[in-house]
Amino acid sequence: MLDFFAKVVAISSSGALAPGPLSAATAAIGVQRGWRGGFMVSVGHLVVEAPIVFLIGFFVSLATIEVLMRPLAALGGGMLVFFGYLTIRSALNREESKTKTNFSPFLTGVFLTAFNPFFIAWWFSVGSVLIANSILLFGTFGIVFLLISHVWIDFAWLSLISYFTSLKGAMEKFHWAILIFLGILVILFGVDYLCFALLNTHFL
């Protein structure tokens, strides 16, 4: 069991810790909401991720995701561009941004997971192998064990990101610049998704 746990952690970390739209959005949320923002993003992420893992384990074929990839990319790209715009607007309007931004960390986790075709494709490819192995080793319980072995990384990583971007002192000095940078980064990820959806190519 420990061997399989270590295998899941090693493989999952390659995806979870890689820079991406969810990490960038979480960093932007963390500037004003602290580690709790990242934690709630992780909860939203889990709400989408858990059903996907169980569906792959019991019902779904690889062909399904191939049909959905580009529509998901279009929806996700639009969501990212809008999120980036809200982040930059919050940074530029300093009076407004003294309060918490009006987008929900939980819903951010839900939407940026549900409309991220590359996250879903990971589970249908690399993740499906882990799911098959978990069922062979531990039966139905194996899927639950796999999910637990994987999901703690998301919670730890996203909470850590949002904590560090919330730090005072030198970080606070560049508060608005950080928000603008993260907003632009999120928009670039959104444009990349839209390029994939419309042109079947990548901007980044």
Side-chain angles (χ1 to χ4, degrees), residues 100-111:
K100 287 181 172 59
T101 50
N102 57 5
F103 39 80
S104 161
F106 173 77
L107 291 179
T108 297
V110 169
F111 286 117

Side-chain angles (χ1 to χ4, degrees), residues 18-43:
L22 191 62
S23 297
T26 300
I29 288 171
V31 170
Q32 294 182 351
R33 294 179 180 263
W35 70 267
R36 292 177 182 82
F39 184 87
M40 291 309 299
V41 170
S42 301
V43 173

